Amino acid sequence: MTHSVAILGASGYTGAELVRLIATHPALRIAALTADRKAGQAMADVFPHLRHLDLPRLTTVEEVDFAALDLVFCALPHGLSQALVRDLPRDLRVVDLGADFRLRDPAAYEKWYGLPHAAPELQPEAVYGLTEFYREEIRAARLVAGTGCNAATVQLALRPLIEAGLIDLDDIVCDLKNGISGAGRGLKENMLFAERSEDVAGYGQGGRHRHLGEFDQEFSALAGREVRILFTPHLVPVNRGILASCHLKGDALAIHAALEARYAAEPFVIVLPYGQLPAMGHVQGSNFCHIGIIGDRVGGRALVVSTLDNLCKGSSGQALQNANLMLGLDETAGLMLAPVFP
Amino acid sequence: MTHSVAILGASGYTGAELVRLIATHPALRIAALTADRKAGQAMADVFPHLRHLDLPRLTTVEEVDFAALDLVFCALPHGLSQALVRDLPRDLRVVDLGADFRLRDPAAYEKWYGLPHAAPELQPEAVYGLTEFYREEIRAARLVAGTGCNAATVQLALRPLIEAGLIDLDDIVCDLKNGISGAGRGLKENMLFAERSEDVAGYGQGGRHRHLGEFDQEFSALAGREVRILFTPHLVPVNRGILASCHLKGDALAIHAALEARYAAEPFVIVLPYGQLPAMGHVQGSNFCHIGIIGDRVGGRALVVSTLDNLCKGSSGQALQNANLMLGLDETAGLMLAPVFP
Amino acid sequence: MTHSVAILGASGYTGAELVRLIATHPALRIAALTADRKAGQAMADVFPHLRHLDLPRLTTVEEVDFAALDLVFCALPHGLSQALVRDLPRDLRVVDLGADFRLRDPAAYEKWYGLPHAAPELQPEAVYGLTEFYREEIRAARLVAGTGCNAATVQLALRPLIEAGLIDLDDIVCDLKNGISGAGRGLKENMLFAERSEDVAGYGQGGRHRHLGEFDQEFSALAGREVRILFTPHLVPVNRGILASCHLKGDALAIHAALEARYAAEPFVIVLPYGQLPAMGHVQGSNFCHIGIIGDRVGGRALVVSTLDNLCKGSSGQALQNANLMLGLDETAGLMLAPVFP
Amino acid sequence: MTHSVAILGASGYTGAELVRLIATHPALRIAALTADRKAGQAMADVFPHLRHLDLPRLTTVEEVDFAALDLVFCALPHGLSQALVRDLPRDLRVVDLGADFRLRDPAAYEKWYGLPHAAPELQPEAVYGLTEFYREEIRAARLVAGTGCNAATVQLALRPLIEAGLIDLDDIVCDLKNGISGAGRGLKENMLFAERSEDVAGYGQGGRHRHLGEFDQEFSALAGREVRILFTPHLVPVNRGILASCHLKGDALAIHAALEARYAAEPFVIVLPYGQLPAMGHVQGSNFCHIGIIGDRVGGRALVVSTLDNLCKGSSGQALQNANLMLGLDETAGLMLAPVFP
């Protein structure tokens, strides 16, 4: 049986990535693609790499026949999904890839995103989309809020350790290296090729990055106390990928054992043998997350490195994984593509 | 029904690419992987991006049980396949990804590769593996010789034009831009990151590149006269991809019409609307070839630009496409992956 | 003796490159820097790599005291210099880095740039800034029009050959590989890192690129007849550099001899030994142009490859070289910086 | 007055960088260049970007007339300088760019480099080459041991803080992003373009990197107690540059004030305004080090980010700065080149 889906905001990178993944999905059919400013254009004009596919033309949201859909993916810029989802049919499944429903507390949303929440009445039903930790809730959900890409990378590394009490909660330093596609297709001077090539630079430093809202919410809930991690992302001249180096206080071998046990049955999270560290280039184009652990000559220290493709496992792949669950499909459908290397 | 295959030379990039493609193939099973110097290692140690797959350990060629196989892919360095294939069971299907069986005339092989042909008695049965032009022969073949990656890129652009007599055969200038993975995983100073990044430079110039042997053979046969193209490849700092800019004398509109007609029914070759030119970044990770055509203010001139992924459509994807035909499978099985962009 | 100069349009890449070069110049002093939208900012905020220099704050053009200047560099977007230069003191030396005064015929300017010439009365005194071929005129000039960066790269390769009648004027195919900084710092979707990294694609194809106006003007004048070259630039993922592969009909050895003789005494143009081809990475950050020549197994053909740094020899370096001449200084002052490799 | 120098090991990247810098130096003359395996070749064949310079041909070390020299730069692979320097004239000034004389304790050398020290009798006279902290000793030295490039980047950030007691010595986490040229020109599979492009991966993790020997020595001496930092370098796909993110416990404003005061008079170390962070791309090709400091919403935390060009300030630029001091020249001679951006 085939399910009809729409992608709202299909002219951005996460929209295109959804199309790429769904292209070989056995049970999903793309019924509509929207893009406000590019409505009317063929998808092949906006993303020529999808030229081989028979896709609907881009339309406005208003033109979509939502009644004919089984599920909607919202890949809109932050701040636009709340009002839009509020106006959708109440029984239509929604996977939101943006930040609009990630924070359970509307006040926290306003604090981190600078806007009042436009649909606070919907927030209680939104399930946080970190599949490996909210699987059953997602299966039953109507509205799933995709996590931030950085938030996914770091949480996959740290949640089992916080849950098990294996690390010092007051000394969590996460230093991230981020591929450029995470900034989206919007026009910013500092995202020009000539500015980013041959460069590495931090951004959103000093505890100001919006994904901290997610870390605060999730880690504090897990720990039963306030947790505030140190989080410092850096732009690296790579198209796709996030590599999070988490500098922790804890027993590295115990940490390795805990992560290995936690993810043994997970299809997409792979824990490397102790002492091996993952590489960003080994997960690109895929829904896999690789995690490596090593100790240090300084005792009681562990380095946990987690890497995934920000557009796939960090966003569109996660969204599809959740959609599969919501629709009662095999969770891995359309997602077992091997990474592309080199 | 599942067919058992082996990949000989699985520690190189084309070997890894075959594994990537076969990973989601519905009817092939990898029974053996060989790599002389790395025999005994796990594939995940040689190519960590394949870590999620359950693959046989690398072995020597001698350890392979060829009797249990339906087809062998040879992804060996040039010069090693001839003797090896000669010693395989006579009824075992073979797809060779190297240069050893590409040239029908053993003297031409010796001229371009500097070695006498080690298995000239097998050469007559070898079918040239350019699928779109040798499909029926490949279907019936036991031994298929994969084309050079440059040879595929340029022939897809030019063969229909030579056949139709649409271009001046004495004025074919092909200027190629080549991704670095085409040089393989061997250690050469000029393939180090610091040498290739931020650089563009020609190589194999002056009519000395070995793929000229294929062009001479194929184009002369097509034209019924000697054809010698000008062929100038350049290394560009990109992992995957070949973009061939073919500067031709002919009528651009007629050329466009001929190419569009020729490839209308082909699953992997896409001719763009007249005046649009393709981009290397729009085919990476896929088996597609995009071709664009434009005229010039100088009358009687046409620019035909052809681009594909050297590791996929230029090598391993082509090999799998041919293997599908040889095994009576759907030609596109395992190959409909969309390009990865960005 | 120190000469005072201003750079109008200092917030673009060519403006910053001028500052870089003048920083170690023994006889120039930067008295003013302008940038309309960024007026009021410190140069270190706009270009942090120049942070170590003691530079004037960016101002509007109106704030500049032109009477105190010996020379002005105009690094403005195309179309803005004509009116501005018209209003400058009539005895102030001007080096324009844009296209506004490159074409001697105002009708040609209008044809290629889509705007009527705003200062046609100044055009007759503008000298075309290709130093190696207009040196004496530049020395005496008040107004010098810098060449296009592509125009410089190709003309350095071809002018001596056209002058000497060594090549077929009806078969000049120039295939260029262009670094991304040539597109400037303006915001365009196709100049984002994620769009250009891992990609090669043509642009301005089909005889539509504006630098053709310069080629038409210069080559036709040289040849005494109309010359129309084929010119196909491609964007490559490199910050700086242009590599022009010129596919010619002519005797390669004679071509090599002619180029070697022509440039023997030139400080910045280096002809490689016959058969060696240059690399973009070997001129970056410098004012040098490397030219290589090789024949082909197809007789009567020559490949002439010319490479330079588009921001330096292709623009700001050329401008400084010309300014040196206009001010009676050593032509090479501030310009002997070795290329940065790797 | 001109001083004659030789560069031993001129076929590596740091050798070439020395030549680049000395090319515009007013008082140094390159009298000899050596390269064992490439002896006999012209420097232009080994490094075509230096083609415009009139340089001596590469020779063996044995062919060098050391009596005619004022100073020797040793840019040899680790482990080769000790014996070589031992056999040089006792009054010849030596700047060693390798690790052979960095560690004052020969036992520490053996521990980190796996070889017994071949010239322990020379070690006492070797001065550690971190110019900003050993300037007077360097001025008087005969033998200066250049620092590791990582060691320079991190020490410039941390020394003043350790000296002033501003940070918790038991919680120093340094996460580095390293350009690829730091690995040198040797042939290693993991340094191939196709392996490093589009990738980020850690190396030398777990407290095993050899530069830890330098940190242990210097920081412990400064603090008067044992100091063991956490040090985790990562390879990023950039040619040149190191960016060290130092995660510290201390008062960010006090840290900023201390660094600003310490470097106010230094020509090459620039402390950014509080809250601004540096970018690797803003120091490339130059001898500058940029340092930025920011606090965090988590109180008592500071991020200090230090960046420099590993081949220049991290190695050859530092070496030249030291040579200038040793020869009684202006310390900045040949080193005021502005960074190349973009």
Side-chain angles (χ1 to χ4, degrees):
Chain A
M1 186 188 138
T2 298
H3 300 270
S4 289
V5 302
I7 301 170
L8 311 185
S11 63
Y13 294 144
T14 56
E17 181 72 353
L18 273 169
V19 173
R20 178 177 82 90
L21 296 172
I22 295 174
T24 51
H25 192 291
L28 296 190
R29 192 182 65 85
I30 296 175
L33 297 169
T34 78
D36 265 13
R37 275 175 308 175
K38 295 184 175 172
Q41 295 188 38
M43 194 67 172
D45 292 332
V46 177
F47 286 115
H49 70 292
L50 300 173
R51 194 181 282 281
H52 65 289
L53 296 171
D54 185 22
L55 294 169
R57 191 165 281 272
L58 292 168
T59 68
T60 61
V61 171
E62 288 69 29
E63 298 173 74
V64 177
D65 176 11
F66 288 102
L69 299 176
D70 295 292
L71 186 142
V72 164
F73 294 101
C74 289
L76 300 167
H78 299 316
L80 300 184
S81 288
Q82 290 166 349
L84 191 148
V85 172
R86 197 188 49 205
D87 297 339
L88 292 180
R90 290 288 305 159
D91 59 345
L92 180 57
R93 290 181 188 85
V94 177
V95 177
D96 186 35
L97 283 77
D100 285 20
F101 294 101
R102 287 174 191 165
L103 300 182
R104 276 186 281 276
D105 178 0
Y109 176 80
E110 184 163 356
K111 173 186 159 196
W112 287 103
Y113 291 90
L115 296 165
H117 197 302
E121 71 280 13
L122 290 182
Q123 191 60 53
E125 67 167 306
V127 174
Y128 190 65
L130 195 68
T131 324
E132 285 75 10
F133 294 89
Y134 288 90
R135 186 172 276 122
E136 293 317 310
E137 293 90 330
I138 291 166
R139 222 187 282 275
R142 184 190 77 93
L143 169 59
V144 170
T147 73
C149 50
N150 296 306
T153 315
V154 171
Q155 286 185 68
L156 289 170
L158 299 189
R159 287 185 76 112
L161 311 181
I162 294 174
E163 266 183 318
L166 286 172
I167 56 173
D168 182 340
L169 297 177
D170 295 315
D171 250 324
I172 299 176
V173 173
C174 299
D175 188 298
L176 274 72
K177 293 82 184 165
N178 299 64
I180 309 300
S181 64
R185 215 180 196 183
L187 299 182
K188 298 174 206 149
E189 186 178 279
N190 69 330
M191 294 302 155
L192 293 173
F193 180 89
E195 304 278 325
R196 295 264 56 81
S197 179
E198 292 293 303
D199 190 43
V200 173
Y203 74 99
Q205 305 286 25
R208 295 176 293 116
H209 195 289
R210 290 166 163 186
H211 289 178
L212 282 168
E214 292 175 64
F215 292 126
D216 289 357
Q217 166 181 291
E218 296 296 313
F219 290 156
S220 298
L222 268 180
R225 50 157 281 195
E226 190 178 88
V227 177
R228 296 284 176 267
I229 70 168
L230 281 289
F231 171 64
T232 57
H234 299 76
L235 294 169
V236 291
V238 167
N239 275 347
R240 288 171 176 243
I242 297 174
L243 185 132
S245 306
C246 304
H247 304 276
L248 307 172
K249 286 185 176 165
D251 181 74
L253 286 166
I255 285 172
H256 183 260
L259 289 169
E260 208 169 42
R262 174 61 183 83
Y263 294 120
E266 284 294 340
F268 295 117
V269 184
I270 298 177
V271 177
L272 277 56
Y274 181 81
Q276 290 186 23
L277 291 179
M280 196 185 271
H282 294 153
V283 295
Q284 281 157 354
S286 85
N287 202 50
F288 294 98
C289 173
H290 286 188
I291 301 178
I293 300 96
I294 190 168
D296 199 89
R297 60 171 188 154
V298 176
R301 299 285 190 151
L303 175 66
V304 178
V305 181
S306 169
T307 190
L308 51 72
D309 180 326
N310 58 297
L311 290 181
C312 194
K313 182 60 175 164
S315 187
S316 302
Q318 181 200 71
L320 181 54
Q321 196 176 346
N322 291 337
N324 284 337
L325 288 169
M326 294 163 80
L327 293 167
L329 303 170
D330 173 3
E331 181 180 335
T332 69
L335 291 168
M336 292 306 291
L337 307 175
V340 178
F341 173 88
Chain B
M1 187 189 136
T2 297
H3 300 271
S4 289
V5 301
I7 301 170
L8 311 185
S11 63
Y13 293 144
T14 55
E17 181 73 354
L18 273 169
V19 174
R20 178 177 82 91
L21 296 172
I22 294 173
T24 51
H25 192 290
L28 296 190
R29 193 181 65 85
I30 297 175
L33 297 169
T34 80
D36 264 13
R37 277 175 308 175
K38 296 184 175 170
Q41 296 189 36
M43 194 65 172
D45 291 332
V46 177
F47 286 115
H49 70 291
L50 300 173
R51 195 181 282 278
H52 64 290
L53 297 171
D54 185 23
L55 294 169
R57 192 164 280 271
L58 292 167
T59 68
T60 61
V61 171
E62 288 69 29
E63 297 173 74
V64 177
D65 176 11
F66 288 102
L69 299 175
D70 296 293
L71 186 141
V72 164
F73 295 99
C74 289
L76 300 166
H78 300 316
L80 299 184
S81 289
Q82 290 165 351
L84 190 147
V85 172
R86 196 187 52 205
D87 296 339
L88 292 179
R90 290 289 304 160
D91 59 345
L92 179 57
R93 290 180 188 85
V94 177
V95 177
D96 185 35
L97 283 76
D100 285 20
F101 294 101
R102 287 174 191 164
L103 300 182
R104 276 186 281 278
D105 177 1
Y109 176 80
E110 184 162 357
K111 172 185 159 198
W112 287 103
Y113 291 88
L115 296 166
H117 198 301
E121 70 280 12
L122 290 182
Q123 190 60 53
E125 67 167 306
V127 173
Y128 189 66
L130 194 69
T131 325
E132 286 74 10
F133 294 90
Y134 288 90
R135 185 171 275 122
E136 293 317 311
E137 294 90 329
I138 291 166
R139 222 186 280 276
R142 185 188 76 93
L143 170 59
V144 169
T147 73
C149 50
N150 295 307
T153 316
V154 171
Q155 286 186 68
L156 288 170
L158 298 189
R159 288 185 76 113
L161 312 181
I162 294 175
E163 266 182 318
L166 285 173
I167 56 174
D168 182 341
L169 297 178
D170 296 316
D171 250 326
I172 299 175
V173 174
C174 299
D175 188 299
L176 275 71
K177 294 82 186 166
N178 299 64
I180 308 301
S181 64
R185 215 180 195 184
L187 299 182
K188 299 174 206 148
E189 184 178 281
N190 69 330
M191 293 302 155
L192 292 173
F193 181 89
E195 305 277 326
R196 295 265 55 80
S197 179
E198 292 293 304
D199 190 43
V200 173
Y203 73 99
Q205 305 286 26
R208 295 175 295 115
H209 194 289
R210 288 164 163 185
H211 289 178
L212 282 167
E214 290 174 64
F215 291 127
D216 289 357
Q217 167 180 292
E218 295 297 312
F219 290 155
S220 297
L222 268 180
R225 48 157 281 197
E226 190 178 89
V227 177
R228 295 285 176 267
I229 69 168
L230 280 291
F231 171 64
T232 59
H234 299 76
L235 293 169
V236 290
V238 165
N239 275 347
R240 287 172 175 242
I242 298 174
L243 185 133
S245 307
C246 304
H247 304 275
L248 307 172
K249 287 185 174 163
D251 180 75
L253 287 165
I255 285 171
H256 182 260
L259 288 169
E260 207 168 44
R262 176 59 184 82
Y263 293 121
E266 284 293 341
F268 295 116
V269 184
I270 298 177
V271 177
L272 278 57
Y274 180 82
Q276 290 185 26
L277 292 179
M280 196 186 272
H282 294 153
V283 296
Q284 281 157 354
S286 85
N287 202 48
F288 295 99
C289 173
H290 287 188
I291 301 178
I293 301 96
I294 191 169
D296 199 90
R297 62 173 186 152
V298 176
R301 299 286 189 149
L303 175 66
V304 178
V305 181
S306 169
T307 190
L308 52 72
D309 180 327
N310 58 298
L311 289 181
C312 194
K313 181 61 175 165
S315 187
S316 301
Q318 182 199 70
L320 180 55
Q321 196 177 347
N322 291 336
N324 283 338
L325 289 169
M326 294 162 81
L327 293 168
L329 303 170
D330 173 4
E331 181 180 335
T332 69
L335 291 168
M336 293 305 291
L337 306 177
V340 178
F341 173 88
Chain C
M1 186 189 136
T2 296
H3 300 271
S4 288
V5 302
I7 301 171
L8 311 186
S11 64
Y13 293 143
T14 55
E17 181 73 354
L18 273 170
V19 174
R20 178 177 82 91
L21 295 171
I22 295 174
T24 52
H25 193 290
L28 296 190
R29 191 181 66 85
I30 296 177
L33 297 170
T34 79
D36 264 13
R37 276 175 309 175
K38 295 184 176 172
Q41 295 189 39
M43 194 66 172
D45 291 332
V46 177
F47 285 115
H49 70 291
L50 300 174
R51 196 181 281 279
H52 64 291
L53 297 171
D54 185 23
L55 294 169
R57 192 165 281 270
L58 292 167
T59 68
T60 61
V61 171
E62 288 70 29
E63 298 173 74
V64 177
D65 176 11
F66 287 103
L69 299 176
D70 295 293
L71 187 143
V72 163
F73 294 100
C74 289
L76 300 167
H78 300 316
L80 299 184
S81 288
Q82 289 165 350
L84 190 148
V85 172
R86 197 188 49 206
D87 297 339
L88 292 180
R90 291 289 303 160
D91 58 346
L92 180 58
R93 289 183 187 83
V94 177
V95 177
D96 186 35
L97 283 76
D100 285 20
F101 294 101
R102 287 174 190 164
L103 300 182
R104 276 186 280 277
D105 177 359
Y109 177 79
E110 183 163 357
K111 172 185 161 198
W112 287 103
Y113 290 89
L115 297 166
H117 198 303
E121 71 280 13
L122 291 182
Q123 190 60 53
E125 67 167 306
V127 173
Y128 189 66
L130 195 69
T131 325
E132 285 74 12
F133 293 90
Y134 288 90
R135 185 172 275 122
E136 294 317 311
E137 294 90 330
I138 291 166
R139 222 187 282 276
R142 184 189 76 92
L143 170 60
V144 170
T147 73
C149 52
N150 295 306
T153 316
V154 171
Q155 286 186 67
L156 289 170
L158 299 189
R159 288 185 75 112
L161 312 181
I162 293 175
E163 266 182 318
L166 285 173
I167 56 173
D168 183 340
L169 297 178
D170 297 315
D171 250 324
I172 299 175
V173 173
C174 299
D175 188 298
L176 274 70
K177 294 82 184 165
N178 299 63
I180 309 301
S181 63
R185 216 180 195 185
L187 299 182
K188 299 176 205 149
E189 185 177 282
N190 69 330
M191 294 301 155
L192 292 173
F193 181 90
E195 304 278 325
R196 295 265 55 79
S197 179
E198 292 292 303
D199 190 43
V200 174
Y203 73 99
Q205 305 285 26
R208 295 176 293 117
H209 195 290
R210 289 165 164 186
H211 289 178
L212 281 167
E214 291 175 65
F215 292 127
D216 290 357
Q217 166 182 292
E218 295 297 312
F219 290 156
S220 297
L222 268 180
R225 49 156 283 197
E226 188 177 270
V227 177
R228 295 285 175 269
I229 70 168
L230 281 289
F231 171 64
T232 60
H234 299 77
L235 293 168
V236 291
V238 166
N239 276 347
R240 289 171 175 243
I242 298 174
L243 186 133
S245 307
C246 304
H247 304 275
L248 306 172
K249 286 186 174 163
D251 181 74
L253 286 167
I255 285 171
H256 183 261
L259 288 170
E260 209 169 40
R262 175 60 183 81
Y263 293 120
E266 285 293 341
F268 295 116
V269 185
I270 299 176
V271 177
L272 278 57
Y274 181 81
Q276 289 185 25
L277 291 177
M280 194 186 274
H282 293 153
V283 294
Q284 282 156 354
S286 85
N287 202 49
F288 295 98
C289 173
H290 287 187
I291 302 178
I293 301 96
I294 191 169
D296 199 89
R297 61 172 187 153
V298 176
R301 298 287 189 148
L303 175 66
V304 178
V305 181
S306 169
T307 191
L308 52 71
D309 180 326
N310 58 298
L311 289 181
C312 195
K313 181 62 175 163
S315 187
S316 302
Q318 182 200 68
L320 181 54
Q321 196 176 347
N322 291 335
N324 283 337
L325 288 169
M326 294 163 80
L327 293 168
L329 303 170
D330 173 3
E331 181 178 336
T332 68
L335 291 168
M336 293 305 290
L337 307 176
V340 178
F341 172 88
Chain D
M1 187 186 136
T2 298
H3 300 271
S4 287
V5 302
I7 301 170
L8 312 185
S11 63
Y13 293 144
T14 55
E17 181 73 352
L18 273 170
V19 173
R20 178 176 83 89
L21 295 172
I22 295 174
T24 51
H25 192 291
L28 296 190
R29 192 182 66 84
I30 297 175
L33 297 170
T34 79
D36 265 13
R37 276 176 308 176
K38 296 185 174 170
Q41 295 189 38
M43 193 67 172
D45 292 332
V46 177
F47 285 116
H49 70 292
L50 300 174
R51 194 181 283 279
H52 64 290
L53 297 171
D54 185 23
L55 294 168
R57 193 165 280 271
L58 292 167
T59 68
T60 61
V61 170
E62 289 70 29
E63 298 173 74
V64 177
D65 176 11
F66 288 101
L69 299 176
D70 296 292
L71 186 143
V72 164
F73 294 99
C74 288
L76 300 166
H78 300 315
L80 299 184
S81 289
Q82 290 164 350
L84 190 146
V85 172
R86 198 187 50 206
D87 296 339
L88 291 180
R90 291 288 304 160
D91 58 346
L92 180 58
R93 290 182 188 83
V94 177
V95 177
D96 186 35
L97 284 76
D100 284 20
F101 293 101
R102 287 174 192 165
L103 300 183
R104 277 186 280 277
D105 178 0
Y109 177 80
E110 183 161 357
K111 173 186 159 195
W112 287 104
Y113 290 90
L115 296 166
H117 198 302
E121 71 280 13
L122 290 183
Q123 190 60 53
E125 66 167 307
V127 173
Y128 189 66
L130 195 67
T131 324
E132 286 74 11
F133 294 89
Y134 290 89
R135 185 171 277 121
E136 294 317 310
E137 294 90 331
I138 291 165
R139 223 187 280 277
R142 185 189 76 93
L143 170 59
V144 169
T147 73
C149 50
N150 295 307
T153 316
V154 171
Q155 286 186 68
L156 289 171
L158 298 189
R159 288 184 78 111
L161 312 181
I162 294 175
E163 267 182 318
L166 287 172
I167 57 173
D168 183 342
L169 296 177
D170 295 316
D171 249 325
I172 299 175
V173 173
C174 300
D175 188 299
L176 274 72
K177 294 81 184 165
N178 300 63
I180 309 302
S181 63
R185 216 180 195 183
L187 299 181
K188 299 174 204 148
E189 185 178 281
N190 69 330
M191 294 301 155
L192 292 173
F193 180 89
E195 304 278 325
R196 295 264 55 81
S197 179
E198 293 292 302
D199 190 42
V200 173
Y203 73 99
Q205 305 286 24
R208 296 176 293 116
H209 194 289
R210 290 165 162 185
H211 289 179
L212 282 168
E214 291 175 65
F215 292 126
D216 290 357
Q217 167 181 290
E218 296 296 312
F219 290 154
S220 299
L222 269 180
R225 50 157 281 197
E226 190 179 271
V227 177
R228 294 286 176 268
I229 70 167
L230 281 289
F231 171 64
T232 59
H234 298 78
L235 294 168
V236 291
V238 165
N239 276 347
R240 288 171 175 243
I242 297 175
L243 185 131
S245 307
C246 304
H247 305 276
L248 306 172
K249 287 186 176 165
D251 181 74
L253 286 166
I255 285 172
H256 182 260
L259 289 169
E260 208 168 42
R262 175 61 183 81
Y263 294 121
E266 285 293 342
F268 295 117
V269 184
I270 298 177
V271 177
L272 278 57
Y274 181 82
Q276 290 186 24
L277 291 178
M280 196 186 272
H282 294 153
V283 295
Q284 281 157 354
S286 85
N287 202 49
F288 296 98
C289 173
H290 287 187
I291 301 178
I293 301 98
I294 191 169
D296 199 89
R297 59 171 188 153
V298 176
R301 298 286 190 149
L303 176 66
V304 178
V305 181
S306 169
T307 191
L308 52 71
D309 179 327
N310 59 298
L311 290 181
C312 194
K313 181 61 175 164
S315 187
S316 302
Q318 183 200 69
L320 180 55
Q321 194 177 347
N322 291 336
N324 284 336
L325 288 169
M326 295 163 80
L327 293 167
L329 303 171
D330 173 3
E331 181 180 335
T332 68
L335 289 169
M336 293 306 291
L337 305 176
V340 178
F341 173 86

